[in-house]
Amino acid sequence: MDATPPAADQSPFASMDPETAAHPQPMFKMLRDSTPVMPVEGVGVVITRKSEADEVFRHPEVFSSNADALDLKNPRPLIPLQIDPPEHKKFRKLLDPIFAPRQMALIEGSITQTVNELIDRFIDRGEVDFSKEFSVPFPSQVFLNLLGLSFDELPRFLAMKDGIIRPERAIEGAYGSEEMHAYQQKIADSIYEYFNGILDLREQKREDDLLSRFLDAEVEGQKLTREEILDICFLFLIAGLDTVTATLDCIFGYLVAHPEQRQQLVDDPSIIPAAIEELLRWETPVMGVPRVSLADVEMAGCPIHKGDHVMVMLGSVNTDEADLADADVVRFNRKTNRHVAFGAGVHRCLGSHLARQELRVAVREWHRRIPEYALVEGHALAYTGGIRSIDHFPMTLTPAAT
């Protein structure tokens, strides 16, 4: 039952069929019931139950999030994701206050403005490609605003993000081919070069933005090095754009299929925060998070050897009926929701509070202005594997009466 590391010639989720990508919950249940800890060629040891997932998240000294767990063509470990304790703590001590709920509340107004400016562009047409015109540009524009950069940079940011996460959009051929690796490396190098240039400008003149705060920040009495700031910026670009886009795709994909629950949001906007948490649990856009084992261990009778890759299937953990009795029911009035859509343990997503703020504002403003919408008749949504996003999402819209 040896596990193999991610293969060099395929994406771990490349073979997932469209129906499973759209509705992965039955697959998750089958795995939990049959082989909750299972070696999968090209992926590693797959963990699908909450009990074992908790063990992985609680023990970073065994299940590491270091650079060996995930290769994004970065020359150094990304901060703080690929830094394990004890060094990890000092970076979180610096970064957590920057992304705390209180800080995120301060930018609600600018996020609201961004949402409405995007809606203004298509609402009068009565139709929209939700992905291309809303879920893709929205988090990128929020990100650009946080960095004090012009929205004219949006195409560049999307190209850099896709070049690392979804290189198949630009390079044809097998995933993991030499051509694709070379393209990803070129994009990764360009990300560092881009932020290096912006930081040079901020060194000359500070602005009211995150990059300036990074330059002035200190960790245990020492300022961040240029390399450390670049490693933080690289992670923010990769992690902060695609995941919010995918979450919006999943949320609205669910709502177009369940108009009766969508109406609940229109009738009572106060339930939107709870509804978002429930849809994060049920849909779980990021299907899994990787770790690498630093020791020989055994889980649920399956040996895990030192150096093995471990993939915690977050969507399966979130729908584990052993942890949540009615896990197969989507309820917007759920009082307690301990989902792990943002991960768990010391490496829980640094930007979760920012993501929640973006999602709450987007869902609130959309349903305030567009209470009725539907998938274009005859169109079937196609979800990508791994990070469950939708490339083409055509809707018809019925705006609210003014």
Side-chain angles (χ1 to χ4, degrees), residues 99-111:
F99 292 94
R102 180 178 298 180
Q103 292 299 316
M104 296 304 97
L106 297 177
I107 61 173
E108 180 178 353
S110 65
I111 295 175

Side-chain angles (χ1 to χ4, degrees), residues 184-237:
Q184 286 180 294
Q185 190 63 64
K186 178 183 177 181
I187 294 296
D189 293 343
S190 74
I191 293 173
Y192 281 97
E193 181 180 359
Y194 175 80
F195 280 113
N196 216 15
I198 300 298
L199 288 170
D200 284 341
L201 296 175
R202 295 296 186 271
E203 288 278 18
Q204 299 173 20
K205 182 183 178 183
R206 297 291 197 270
E207 302 286 350
D208 183 18
D209 60 29
L210 283 180
L211 294 177
S212 297
R213 293 184 69 178
F214 292 156
L215 287 169
D216 293 329
E218 293 185 356
V219 180
E220 297 181 351
Q222 293 185 331
K223 286 192 174 183
L224 293 169
T225 67
R226 174 63 67 95
E227 289 76 16
E228 288 170 340
I229 297 174
L230 289 172
D231 296 335
I232 292 170
C233 290
F234 190 102
L235 177 61
F236 282 3
L237 173 65

Side-chain angles (χ1 to χ4, degrees), residues 239-276:
L241 307 186
D242 209 67
T243 51
V244 174
T245 290
T247 304
L248 285 168
D249 288 345
C250 287
I251 286 175
F252 279 81
Y254 181 89
L255 292 174
V256 296
H258 298 84
E260 72 288 348
Q261 286 180 282
R262 180 182 72 218
Q263 190 61 42
Q264 293 177 28
L265 306 183
V266 175
D267 294 341
D268 184 6
S270 70
I271 70 171
I272 286 175
I276 288 172

Side-chain angles (χ1 to χ4, degrees), residues 66-68 70-79 81-82 164 184-185 188-189 192 230-231 234-235 238:
N66 67 27
D68 290 337
L70 181 65
D71 178 18
L72 295 173
K73 307 305 177 190
N74 44 301
R76 298 174 301 276
L78 299 179
I79 298 172
L81 175 65
Q82 295 179 329
I164 299 297
Q184 286 180 294
Q185 190 63 64
D189 293 343
Y192 281 97
L230 289 172
D231 296 335
F234 190 102
L235 177 61
I238 300 306

Side-chain angles (χ1 to χ4, degrees), residues 107-124:
I107 61 173
E108 180 178 353
S110 65
I111 295 175
T112 302
Q113 180 179 345
T114 298
V115 169
N116 282 290
E117 287 175 351
L118 286 169
I119 292 175
D120 287 342
R121 298 176 186 177
F122 53 76
I123 190 171
D124 291 337

Side-chain angles (χ1 to χ4, degrees), residues 12-13 16 20 24-25 27-29 31-32 35-38 40 43-50 52-54 56-57 281 283-291 310-320 340-341 343 385-388:
F13 299 97
M16 182 173 290
T20 301
Q25 297 86 1
M27 175 194 70
F28 293 151
K29 178 170 175 51
L31 291 174
R32 288 194 305 271
T35 46
V37 181
M38 178 178 66
V40 176
V43 179
V45 176
V46 172
I47 308 289
T48 55
R49 285 193 310 209
K50 189 173 189 301
E52 287 82 13
D54 285 344
V56 172
F57 290 135
R281 182 192 71 82
E283 292 288 337
T284 310
V286 180
M287 296 185 75
V289 293
R291 298 289 188 266
V310 176
M311 179 69 70
V312 179
M313 300 300 289
L314 300 177
S316 182
V317 174
N318 280 335
T319 52
D320 188 349
V340 294
I387 300 178
R388 300 175 56 240

